[in-house]
Amino acid sequence: MRKEELQQLPPEKFERITIDSSRAERITKPSLSFWQDAWLRLRKNKAAIVSMVVLILLIIMALIGPHLNGHDGETQILRHANLPPKIPGVENLGIFDGMGQLGGEKVNLYEIKKVDEYYWFGTDGLGRDLFTRVWEGTQISLLIAFVAAAIDVVIGVLYGGISGYFGGRVDDVMQRIVEILIGIPTLIIVILMLLIMEPGLTAIIIAISITGWIGMSRIVRAQTLKYRGQEFVLASRTLGASDKRIIGKHLLPNIMGIIIINTMFTIPTAIFFEAFLSFIGLGLQPPNASLGTLINDGYKVMEHQPYFLLFPAVIISVLMIAFNLIGDGLRDALDPKMKD
Amino acid sequence: MVKYIGKRLVYMFLTMFLIATATFFLMQTLPGSPIASYNKLNETQRAIVEKKYGIDKPKPVQYAIYMKNLAKGDLGTSFVFKGKSVNDLLATRVKPSFILGAQAMVFGTLIGILLGMLAALKQNTIWDYGSTFFAILGVSIPSFVFASLLQYWVASQWHLLPVGLWNDGWKSSILPSIALAMGPLALSARFIRTEMIEVLSSDYITLAKAKGANGFEIAFKHAFRNALIPLVTVLGPVAAGIVTGSLVVEQIFAIPGIGEQFVSSIMTNDFATIMGTTLFFSALLIFIIFIVDLLYGIIDPRIRLSGGKG
């Protein structure tokens, strides 16, 4: 294009471009909230994701499992006692085919006892269907764990939060109490509490929660102390924010992550304690069943019917592994700075 | 330091006092009587039995007597084992429990340290994943489940080791020790891995590498020692875990230890023995945690004990 032609171009053809300095800082992707960010990190953790799927499956099974095969966990059919597992379809593969020991010989107990039904996990000494009982037990164990964990969270967060937020003399008194309580071994106090209460669901939950909150309260207190002294809280206070607003808007969101992480480790501890107490005979009483009592029952007949022990043992182990792995994953995702 | 120890001792004393008091009064509310066939006795017989065990006096007096004896180290007389003092009862049972606990502790932490180091040195390889998975199993599987499975496979199916009891010398202690060791093993493996990874990325390791130190030297001479220090802190929880585990593991393998005694005294409502074992366990754990805290301050001078916990 020649110079003359250029000069003949009408001014409308030109557009003024201004360099907008603010565009240099433009964020090209939508900004992520803390939780979205954490989810991105958690998603990369395969172990945690697999555990979540497994956990969800276990919870679903705990809810619908007892209704799946038409037996219920209470009915005692003595003629059907001590049957080994038999699962339709799988039986042709040579496992779970109803073969069991009788007088030192391997025989099909279902044929001998003329049982047409299938007991997927076998039956116990009273002829109750173990499949149903195992999932009912899982339900109870999960229930105890969730309720105990919820109580721990509520008491722990309140106690730690009040102690840390108000500080001063309140904190002093509250921490002296905790210092004495923390010296008492958890197991001892749990067993003593169970000794004096009527055995049952509530007793176990109370016994587990009675010391369970201490760990949570210490963590929450330390975090509250840390954030309470920071500038953004001071700024908010200067602007006239009330205690309620500071706690709700500034402190809680900041310590939420650590509360969730800690809860994820409280749940498996509660599952363990319930099973432990039931195993030494202090937990749930018959006819109620939890994973702990089932393991205890199974242990007694381990020699002859190992599957009785095996199924609840596997389920409790998988549950514990899943919770621990999810806890680990959440810890890495929610608080990348924290190591342990 | 002296001030710190003094303060800790006061707290330990307070805690023990509290536990003793709480245990005493909890025992009073316990349903059932420790005296077998109590209901079959007539008035006079009851009075004689109650006088013999000192439970005829009012509760506060009983409490005062109990505390006075406790101060002298006397835990009282068992209700179930005729006229045997709880002290004697515990004394005969300390040895098996101690052997199991010590073996589990040593074996567990040593293997745990090795696994943790392996995982850290070969980070993100199959070794790392393998030992991390193993550690997760150790943390997750309850000790009594693991102990039952060990007993079933190793002892009763393969006949490799005794099924239980304490009459086959060292062999009897192997399975229960392994069952107890899983917790410490897993805890220390996870801990050492985290610490080693952090230590390995520090400047002095880079310097050691720059000087031409070989991998073995770096791992053991430089990194390992520093990673080991914080391990002392988990020894407290580890000891608590072993005590907890010993209750069920001793029960499973029928080991005549203190844990087994505790569980069976609960079953027989033997007040004096329950209280004695409770106090014994509490004192043991409180003492261990105290020692661990002291050790930590001594090993790592950067931690000032008097500073207290945040």
Side-chain angles (χ1 to χ4, degrees):
Chain A
M1 208 180 282
R2 290 209 328 269
K3 207 178 176 187
E4 299 85 74
E5 281 180 80
L6 259 180
Q7 278 165 343
Q8 283 162 9
L9 279 169
E12 310 92 77
K13 288 272 181 193
F14 292 90
E15 190 192 350
R16 193 182 173 89
I17 294 175
T18 47
I19 294 172
D20 184 1
S21 62
S22 69
R23 286 171 70 100
E25 307 257 313
R26 194 170 60 101
I27 293 163
T28 42
K29 281 193 175 175
S31 83
L32 295 174
S33 74
F34 174 67
W35 298 107
Q36 288 168 322
D37 199 30
W39 170 240
L40 276 184
R41 272 191 297 256
L42 184 63
R43 225 167 45 182
K44 286 196 197 123
N45 188 334
K46 285 193 204 84
I49 293 300
V50 172
S51 301
M52 274 171 150
V53 174
V54 169
L55 185 64
I56 291 170
L57 285 179
L58 280 178
I59 293 176
I60 293 175
M61 279 309 285
L63 293 175
I64 63 163
H67 311 290
L68 274 186
N69 63 355
H71 298 289
D72 72 49
E74 307 277 302
T75 317
Q76 304 177 0
I77 308 171
L78 287 177
R79 200 167 58 82
H80 292 184
N82 294 330
L83 287 171
K86 189 180 180 191
I87 304 175
V90 186
E91 60 184 323
N92 303 325
L93 301 173
I95 45 165
F96 301 126
D97 52 1
M99 298 297 272
Q101 301 278 342
L102 191 74
E105 276 179 63
K106 227 170 151 40
V107 284
N108 193 328
L109 289 173
Y110 281 74
E111 280 169 16
I112 290 175
K113 295 195 179 183
K114 298 196 178 60
V115 181
D116 296 329
E117 289 142 282
Y118 285 90
Y119 289 100
W120 297 345
F121 283 1
T123 57
D124 66 5
L126 296 170
R128 290 176 292 193
D129 176 40
L130 276 180
F131 184 81
T132 309
R133 282 180 71 74
V134 162
W135 293 118
E136 279 174 355
T138 313
Q139 216 176 71
I140 299 277
S141 289
L142 283 172
L143 178 78
I144 291 175
F146 284 134
V147 175
I151 295 176
D152 286 356
V153 171
V154 171
I155 301 181
V157 170
L158 280 179
Y159 195 97
I162 291 172
S163 181
Y165 187 75
F166 293 104
R169 182 161 290 169
V170 179
D171 185 39
D172 266 349
V173 174
M174 288 174 98
Q175 287 315 302
R176 291 300 86 77
I177 297 174
V178 164
E179 259 172 73
I180 294 176
L181 285 180
I182 210 157
I184 306 175
T186 315
L187 174 78
I188 303 283
I189 199 80
V190 169
I191 290 183
L192 287 179
M193 291 311 293
L194 272 181
L195 280 178
I196 58 161
M197 286 186 287
E198 282 282 302
L201 213 62
T202 335
I204 294 187
I205 292 173
I206 294 176
I208 294 176
S209 332
I210 209 149
T211 54
W213 57 272
I214 295 178
M216 177 69 91
S217 87
R218 282 169 64 103
I219 290 172
V220 170
R221 174 177 171 269
Q223 292 287 312
T224 315
L225 273 180
K226 183 179 130 195
Y227 286 111
R228 191 189 62 161
Q230 288 190 1
E231 283 80 1
F232 69 96
V233 174
L234 184 67
S236 181
R237 197 186 294 278
T238 317
L239 291 169
S242 62
D243 281 347
K244 205 176 124 193
R245 190 179 161 81
I246 292 177
I247 292 172
K249 282 270 172 194
H250 298 301
L251 296 182
L252 263 187
N254 272 308
I255 60 175
M256 209 47 178
I258 215 155
I259 295 176
I260 292 176
I261 297 167
N262 210 24
T263 313
M264 287 314 288
F265 289 111
T266 311
I267 295 174
T269 314
I271 294 180
F272 169 76
F273 262 113
E274 182 278 316
F276 177 86
L277 293 167
S278 296
F279 189 81
I280 62 174
L282 284 173
L284 284 183
Q285 305 298 320
N288 279 330
S290 71
L291 288 176
T293 57
L294 287 169
I295 291 173
N296 188 14
D297 293 346
Y299 172 71
K300 289 175 191 152
V301 295
M302 181 173 79
E303 280 301 309
H304 307 289
Q305 292 137 285
Y307 56 87
F308 194 168
L309 171 69
L310 200 64
F311 290 116
V314 166
I315 289 174
I316 199 172
S317 304
V318 172
L319 262 184
M320 301 275 291
I321 293 169
F323 272 114
N324 276 317
L325 285 176
I326 296 174
D328 279 350
L330 276 176
R331 183 171 58 196
D332 296 340
L334 290 177
D335 195 353
K337 282 169 295 184
M338 199 169 72
K339 301 189 279 108
D340 49 39
Chain B
M1 184 77 174
V2 175
K3 199 181 150 203
Y4 172 79
I5 295 179
K7 190 184 148 204
R8 282 297 299 266
L9 285 176
V10 170
Y11 269 111
M12 281 163 68
F13 180 76
L14 256 177
T15 311
M16 279 313 291
F17 177 78
L18 199 82
I19 294 175
T21 311
T23 323
F24 182 85
F25 286 105
L26 285 177
M27 284 301 113
Q28 307 304 323
T29 57
L30 202 66
S33 163
I35 298 158
S37 58
Y38 183 82
N39 293 329
K40 289 184 202 150
L41 303 178
N42 64 33
E43 285 296 313
T44 350
Q45 285 168 323
R46 276 187 201 181
I48 295 172
V49 172
E50 282 180 355
K51 196 166 164 55
K52 189 179 166 202
Y53 290 102
I55 47 178
D56 53 337
K57 301 183 185 71
K59 297 281 178 252
V61 179
Q62 281 187 41
Y63 174 66
I65 294 175
Y66 186 76
M67 289 312 253
K68 208 178 89 192
N69 288 336
L70 201 60
K72 288 188 275 182
D74 178 7
L75 294 168
T77 314
S78 163
F79 289 97
V80 173
F81 298 91
K82 299 272 174 290
K84 231 178 164 189
S85 81
V86 177
N87 292 43
D88 290 346
L89 212 56
L90 291 186
T92 56
R93 285 170 171 262
V94 163
K95 204 179 150 203
S97 292
F98 178 77
I99 292 176
L100 290 189
Q103 279 184 3
M105 192 90 162
V106 172
F107 173 75
T109 18
L110 281 184
I111 305 281
I113 288 172
L114 284 179
L115 271 183
M117 280 185 69
L118 186 71
L121 291 173
K122 311 231 177 218
Q123 208 188 335
N124 296 331
T125 62
I126 186 88
W127 296 101
D128 185 13
Y129 299 136
S131 68
T132 308
F133 183 70
F134 194 67
I136 286 280
L137 285 188
V139 171
S140 306
I141 298 180
S143 49
F144 53 91
V145 171
F146 190 64
S148 328
L149 295 177
L150 269 185
Q151 191 183 39
Y152 179 70
W153 291 114
V154 182
S156 95
Q157 292 293 306
W158 303 337
H159 305 289
L160 291 179
L161 289 163
V163 178
L165 292 176
W166 193 250
N167 51 16
D168 206 354
W170 187 65
K171 268 166 116 186
S172 318
S173 76
I174 297 177
L175 282 186
S177 297
I178 293 178
L180 281 176
M182 283 307 282
L185 191 156
L187 266 177
S188 46
R190 294 177 80 171
F191 205 79
I192 286 284
R193 179 180 177 273
T194 328
E195 287 300 323
M196 276 290 273
I197 287 174
E198 183 172 305
V199 168
L200 281 174
S201 64
S202 57
D203 289 343
Y204 66 85
I205 295 292
T206 320
L207 177 69
K209 275 185 199 153
K211 286 198 308 184
N214 63 36
F216 183 81
E217 243 182 322
I218 290 174
F220 281 92
K221 218 172 141 193
H222 298 281
F224 174 61
R225 286 191 191 175
N226 283 295
L228 203 55
I229 295 172
L231 186 69
V232 176
T233 51
V234 290
L235 290 183
V238 160
I242 287 186
V243 170
T244 313
S246 76
L247 296 191
V248 272
V249 170
E250 284 179 9
Q251 186 87 352
I252 287 174
F253 290 99
I255 306 286
I258 295 187
E260 201 266 341
Q261 174 75 76
F262 186 51
V263 177
S264 62
S265 65
I266 288 172
M267 297 307 156
T268 52
N269 266 343
D270 189 351
F271 294 161
T273 314
I274 301 180
M275 276 155 82
T277 21
T278 307
L279 292 177
F280 179 83
F281 278 140
S282 311
L284 183 73
L285 286 175
I286 291 171
F287 184 69
I288 290 175
I289 290 168
F290 175 63
I291 296 291
V292 164
D293 284 356
L294 278 190
L295 264 183
Y296 198 36
I298 293 168
I299 296 176
D300 193 344
R302 284 172 299 179
I303 292 144
R304 260 173 290 138
L305 288 174
S306 49
K309 291 163 193 146

